[in-house]
Amino acid sequence: MKKYIFLLISILSVSIQHSSAQSNGYDYIQCEDTCRHIHGIDLSHYQGEVFWEHVGANSKMAYVYLKATEGGTHIDKTYERNIELAHRYGLKVGSYHFFRPKTDLVKQLENFMSQCRPGDQDLIPMIDIESTGGLKTEVFCDSLIKFIKLVEEAYRQKPLLYTYTNFYNKHLQGKIDGYPLMIAQYSDEVPKLADDRDYTMWQYTAKGRINGINTYVDKSRFMGRHSMREIRFKHF
């Protein structure tokens, strides 16, 4: 009987320790613990208050993309605080805009530029592309490409484009060649695009853990020989 009681106590002890580690922002084994790729995160108001002093102390996270805006009027309420503190604690920072294909393109650009100020950026701007807005693919792509060009002209450099594997395969093949891509696919398998095109970064989980953030967080990493220099913001 004593043997079984001891075994039960041991199991409970391990379970408690594991739960404690997760609640403090740790998993036992994470991708960045087992490889040499350059890793980073992206954040928005969904993560709530971020304790940047702890995030900055985690040297495995080299960069962060912060949600700045969405559509023509929405501004992420945590953006201003997050970009200030992310810089203060040593991360390389970029900003992204969630694209709404039915919303006036000039208004979207103006909204993004009101927050994504060149002097605050370490990384090229990113456009988050996840929805067609109910438009047919050709109409959607026409709107998207026009917006990409507006962003490129405004910042005088090509933006990083973020989308999912399936969304790219269904709507974007051959439409956005020449632009760096971050591809989201939450699995152990490296994404493979239908046209076999190269991409710069892989967002491999939406359930990452990191000390200083009390919720799940999106994590990404560079692919192959790609590196930070490819997405550095050029200050003219």
Side-chain angles (χ1 to χ4, degrees), residues 71-73 97 103-112 147 150:
T73 58
H97 173 81
T103 302
D104 182 89
L105 302 181
V106 173
K107 287 184 178 179
Q108 292 199 67
L109 178 66
E110 290 173 347
N111 188 29
F112 188 45
F147 183 69
L150 287 174

Side-chain angles (χ1 to χ4, degrees), residues 45-107:
H45 65 279
Y46 290 113
Q47 275 69 46
E49 185 177 3
V50 176
F51 300 94
W52 286 101
E53 64 273 24
H54 298 298
V55 176
N58 184 347
S59 61
K60 294 174 183 176
M61 296 296 115
Y63 62 88
V64 57
Y65 265 98
L66 300 173
K67 184 176 183 180
T69 50
E70 179 176 334
T73 58
H74 178 76
I75 295 170
D76 193 283
K77 63 184 180 181
T78 62
Y79 177 76
E80 187 173 347
R81 177 183 185 274
N82 280 342
I83 196 167
E84 177 188 350
L85 293 178
H87 275 131
R88 183 185 302 177
Y89 290 102
L91 279 86
K92 298 298 183 184
V93 185
S95 305
Y96 75 89
H97 173 81
F98 190 99
F99 177 65
R100 292 292 184 186
K102 287 185 175 180
T103 302
D104 182 89
L105 302 181
V106 173
K107 287 184 178 179

Side-chain angles (χ1 to χ4, degrees), residues 2 14 31 72 82 91 123 149 181 183 214:
K2 289 182 180 180
V14 169
C31 181
N82 280 342
L91 279 86
L123 311 176
K149 293 294 185 184
L181 293 179
I183 295 295
N214 292 325

Side-chain angles (χ1 to χ4, degrees), residues 94-148:
S95 305
Y96 75 89
H97 173 81
F98 190 99
F99 177 65
R100 292 292 184 186
K102 287 185 175 180
T103 302
D104 182 89
L105 302 181
V106 173
K107 287 184 178 179
Q108 292 199 67
L109 178 66
E110 290 173 347
N111 188 29
F112 188 45
M113 292 187 71
S114 74
Q115 303 303 306
C116 180
R117 294 177 286 272
D120 295 336
Q121 309 304 308
D122 301 306
L123 311 176
I124 58 177
M126 183 167 76
I127 303 172
D128 186 341
I129 308 161
E130 299 185 34
S131 171
T132 65
L135 300 174
K136 292 183 178 180
T137 294
E138 291 303 317
V139 178
F140 158 71
C141 286
D142 181 65
S143 175
L144 172 63
I145 292 165
K146 286 177 180 176
F147 183 69
I148 292 171

Side-chain angles (χ1 to χ4, degrees), residues 157-188:
Q157 51 207 302
K158 291 183 177 182
L160 176 65
L161 307 182
Y162 167 96
T163 193
Y164 289 87
T165 303
N166 292 340
F167 194 89
Y168 177 89
N169 289 341
K170 185 174 181 180
H171 301 291
L172 296 174
Q173 287 188 68
K175 307 291 187 181
I176 52 175
D177 293 345
Y179 290 91
L181 293 179
M182 181 191 288
I183 295 295
Q185 179 174 300
Y186 307 142
S187 71
D188 293 332

Side-chain angles (χ1 to χ4, degrees), residues 5-37:
I5 292 174
F6 176 78
L7 178 61
L8 179 60
I9 292 172
S10 298
I11 292 171
L12 288 172
S13 176
V14 169
S15 177
I16 290 168
Q17 289 174 17
H18 182 68
S19 298
S20 176
Q22 289 186 319
S23 68
N24 285 310
Y26 293 106
D27 289 328
Y28 280 114
I29 299 175
Q30 301 184 98
C31 181
E32 65 270 19
D33 295 321
T34 59
C35 74
R36 295 184 178 181
H37 297 101

